[in-house]
Amino acid sequence: MATLSELGRRAKQASLELALAPTSTKDEALVTAADLLVERAEEILRANGEDLAQAQRAGASSTAADRLRLSAERVRSMANGLRQVAALPDPVGEVVEGWVRPNGLRIERVRVPLGVIGVIYENRPNVTSDAAGLCLKSGNVAFLRGSSAALSSNRAIAGVLREGFAKAGLPEDVLVLVEDTSYESAREFMRLRGTIDCLIPRGGPSLVQAVLDNATVPYVIDGDGNCHLYVDAAADLGMALSLLVNGKTQRPSVCNATESLVVHRDVAGAFLPAAAEALAGVRLVGDEAARQIVPTIEPATEEDWGKEYLDLTLSVRVVDDLSAAIAHVQRYSSGHTEAIVTRDLLAAQRFTREVDAAAVMVNASTRFTDGEQFGFGAEIGISTQKLHARGPMGLRELTTTKYIVTGNGQIRS
């Protein structure tokens, strides 16, 4: 097994070549890799089956198993993601702005790759494909370090992708997978200064905390998703019920699932019983006002209000007005996605203006905060930070800029 420093050296060398690759070559590589994913789906699913069997023996939760599990449909979705990325405009070389100074100097700010993107992630083998595709199109090497739980799946996917990229004439090392999944390896990975230009963690609170404690390279945090749905006094209650059920139950193990329900007191009496019935099988925890309306709701603790459950549990709070709703959301928000259901334009405008999150929805499910749904093809993560990138991180978020200054002999006096 190659050492991390050797893998890093290979990644850095490949990044120099990839940065100069024309768009046509990158697109061909992505489409070729997508075709190979579909052709070799059986091989990938066999490897994933090994990971799932091991996870079951280890007593993995249903949430962890869902994140780990691949299917023929999910492999096709990974391939389609690569094709969609290939069809997107190439950000590399884009002139962001330009101007001419009084002395005749022409200044342009141009998009360029970051270089080597390190991604450290848990379970989710689809991240291997999504990250590799976005990194390649934006001219960056994908330096990936997955978890032991998904190692067989990640090996299979990375092997297919590397083969596809090479068939298009790119170095195989535009994708480098770290197979040492020890804790010591993870910590060393986070400290590869001079190799990793940007580190992105994809995982739970413990992984994020490990990055905060150990990383010595620049990083962008893909944070928790305690996503709220606020049902306003002026809400269409049928719409609100549909958005709630979709946000909570369509795929509860992901970061854009709805975790917290906030309801205006004026409509709580009508809405909460219908919500409880529609959410059969979902554990509800709430405040005293909610429990008076629906006695089967369990008492909520202070911890419940800020929790990302990632399962079929939902917190419920009744509030007196929009101000109280905004205050509750602001206090417990993780900065991911917050939503309001209302027919009142002023209420919607105030909610979107005052709520501080990467994405704020009006009359739409929290599940839409997603790179593919936003038209990015895929995403390498959803940033809950405010610097450089925020929300779904697509191609442009994986670039930086440099200034190109052109003169005709000017000197500074």
Side-chain angles (χ1 to χ4, degrees):
M1 188 183 297
T3 64
L4 265 180
S5 58
E6 169 59 18
L7 293 175
R9 185 197 63 76
R10 285 164 40 188
K12 201 67 175 178
Q13 179 58 44
S15 73
L16 302 178
E17 298 180 51
L18 181 58
L20 303 177
T23 302
S24 57
T25 300
K26 293 188 289 186
D27 290 347
E28 181 186 350
L30 290 167
V31 172
T32 302
D35 292 342
L36 276 180
L37 279 177
V38 176
E39 289 173 22
R40 307 264 284 278
E42 236 178 85
E43 171 187 327
I44 293 168
L45 293 177
R46 273 198 306 272
N48 184 245
E50 294 172 13
D51 288 333
L52 281 168
Q54 181 178 315
Q56 287 166 354
R57 287 193 296 270
S61 68
S62 58
T63 296
D66 179 61
R67 290 184 170 194
L68 179 59
R69 183 176 292 107
L70 292 176
S71 62
E73 182 182 350
R74 287 187 180 180
V75 173
R76 284 194 298 271
S77 177
M78 286 158 52
N80 287 337
L82 293 180
R83 295 189 185 101
Q84 289 170 21
V85 171
L88 293 171
D90 189 346
V92 178
E94 175 190 341
V95 178
V96 178
E97 57 183 333
W99 61 95
V100 177
R101 297 291 295 147
N103 61 4
L105 286 178
R106 177 178 287 110
I107 303 174
E108 292 180 324
R109 192 157 66 96
V110 180
R111 288 197 184 278
V112 295
L114 288 167
V116 176
I117 304 293
V119 185
I120 184 165
Y121 54 110
E122 298 171 338
N123 292 359
R124 297 180 180 169
N126 63 291
V127 172
T128 305
S129 176
D130 292 348
L134 286 166
C135 285
L136 187 142
K137 183 63 180 264
S138 56
N140 299 290
V141 164
F143 194 14
L144 308 181
R145 196 272 186 194
S147 65
S148 58
L151 183 57
S152 295
S153 305
N154 291 337
R155 276 184 185 141
I157 295 166
V160 170
L161 295 177
R162 282 167 58 89
E163 183 180 329
F165 297 159
K167 281 186 175 182
L170 292 175
E172 281 191 337
D173 286 336
V174 296
L175 165 57
V176 175
L177 179 70
V178 177
E179 297 190 20
D180 182 349
T181 58
S182 66
Y183 176 77
E184 292 74 21
S185 163
R187 193 161 64 171
E188 183 183 350
F189 187 78
M190 299 174 195
R191 295 176 174 177
L192 288 176
R193 290 187 69 84
T195 298
I196 293 177
D197 296 288
C198 181
L199 175 66
I200 301 171
R202 295 286 306 271
S206 61
L207 175 59
V208 171
Q209 190 60 52
V211 170
L212 295 174
D213 291 343
N214 296 294
T216 60
V217 299
Y219 55 79
V220 176
I221 295 298
D222 175 72
D224 293 350
N226 179 28
C227 304
H228 294 77
L229 180 73
Y230 167 56
V231 181
D232 187 47
D236 177 323
L237 297 187
M239 176 192 293
L241 192 62
S242 174
L243 296 179
L244 174 62
V245 171
N246 177 258
K248 181 68 257 180
T249 68
Q250 197 239 358
R251 197 174 176 198
S253 65
V254 292
C255 61
N256 57 17
T258 301
E259 302 285 32
S260 300
L261 172 66
V262 182
V263 185
H264 195 290
R265 189 175 300 277
D266 289 354
V267 295
F271 183 73
L272 286 181
E277 182 179 354
L279 293 173
V282 176
R283 174 175 171 257
L284 303 177
V285 297
D287 63 3
E288 186 58 32
R291 297 183 66 234
Q292 286 182 1
I293 297 169
V294 180
T296 55
I297 295 177
E298 299 174 27
T301 65
E302 178 63 24
E303 182 185 3
D304 283 316
W305 303 123
K307 191 168 184 179
E308 182 188 34
Y309 293 105
L310 300 175
D311 62 21
L312 291 175
T313 304
L314 180 78
S315 68
V316 183
R317 169 156 276 175
V318 175
V319 294
D320 290 332
D321 52 30
L322 177 60
S323 295
I326 291 173
H328 179 82
V329 170
Q330 291 290 62
R331 179 174 178 183
Y332 297 104
S333 174
S334 61
H336 192 295
T337 302
E338 310 299 359
I340 181 174
V341 190
T342 187
R343 290 173 291 195
D344 183 336
L345 178 60
L346 293 179
Q349 289 175 337
R350 184 180 168 200
F351 190 86
T352 58
R353 184 176 64 249
E354 295 186 22
V355 168
D356 185 19
V360 183
M361 305 287 185
V362 178
N363 297 330
S365 171
T366 61
R367 290 281 288 117
F368 281 109
T369 303
D370 174 85
E372 184 174 357
Q373 296 296 320
F374 277 22
F376 300 164
E379 92 230 347
I380 202 166
I382 297 177
S383 170
T384 52
Q385 293 182 187
K386 298 185 182 181
L387 297 179
H388 169 59
R390 195 178 193 196
M393 291 179 281
L395 296 175
R396 284 183 172 80
E397 287 71 32
L398 296 180
T399 63
T400 185
T401 59
K402 68 179 177 184
Y403 290 99
I404 297 177
V405 183
T406 305
N408 57 359
Q410 288 93 333
I411 61 174
R412 183 170 176 177
S413 56

